[in-house]
């Protein structure tokens, strides 16, 4: 009976195990596990940063929503005042507009005549 030795003296029937009991596959698994641990850590920190950014963006959107609500209220109040003005006497408004138009026309005529 002859035994053939591979590597550090491990017999051929041990499939690459060394005398210490530690295999090449276990070393590879440890290296891959460490690489995976590093990648998971990077993904975790990235997802935490994304979560923080989402919270900040949601706060900004809520602030914008409040600003638009207040601007909408101000615009609604202004439109209410305009409706109140338009319900007033149409003849009085028409007289004011005609007087203004005559005044502008007179001023323009006077400026042209002085040249």
């Amino acid at each position: 009976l002859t035994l053939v030795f591979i590597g550090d003296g491990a017999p051929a029937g041990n499939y690459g195990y060394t005398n210490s009991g530690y295999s090449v596959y276990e070393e590879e698994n440890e290296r891959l596990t460490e690489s995976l641990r590093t990648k998971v850590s990077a993904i975790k920190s990235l997802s935490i940063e994304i979560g923080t950014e989402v919270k900040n963006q949601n706060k900004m959107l809520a602030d914008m929503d409040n600003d638009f609500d207040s601007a909408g209220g101000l615009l609604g109040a202004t439109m209410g005042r305009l409706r109140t003005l338009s319900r007033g006497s149409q003849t009085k408004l028409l007289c004011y507009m005609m007087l203004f138009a005559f005044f502008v026309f007179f001023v323009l005529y006077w400026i042209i005549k002085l040249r």
Side-chain angles (χ1 to χ4, degrees), residues 22 25-35 37:
Y22 200 70
Y25 296 116
E26 288 176 357
E27 290 176 9
E28 181 70 16
N29 280 342
E30 289 296 323
R31 188 182 62 76
L32 291 174
T33 302
E34 187 59 36
S35 172
R37 186 175 295 123

Side-chain angles (χ1 to χ4, degrees), residues 67-91:
D67 291 343
F68 279 120
D69 283 343
S70 65
L74 183 63
L75 184 61
T78 304
M79 291 302 292
R81 289 185 193 121
L82 282 175
R83 279 191 213 104
T84 304
L85 269 176
S86 68
R87 287 185 193 141
S89 171
Q90 296 293 331
T91 55

Side-chain angles (χ1 to χ4, degrees), residues 1-52:
L1 180 71
T2 13
L3 291 175
V4 177
F5 291 101
I6 299 174
D8 289 334
N14 284 344
Y15 301 106
Y17 282 96
T18 61
N19 284 339
S20 67
Y22 200 70
S23 80
V24 174
Y25 296 116
E26 288 176 357
E27 290 176 9
E28 181 70 16
N29 280 342
E30 289 296 323
R31 188 182 62 76
L32 291 174
T33 302
E34 187 59 36
S35 172
L36 184 61
R37 186 175 295 123
T38 304
K39 289 176 184 176
V40 167
S41 175
I43 289 173
K44 179 183 175 184
S45 65
L46 183 63
S47 63
I48 289 171
E49 289 176 15
I50 289 172
T52 304

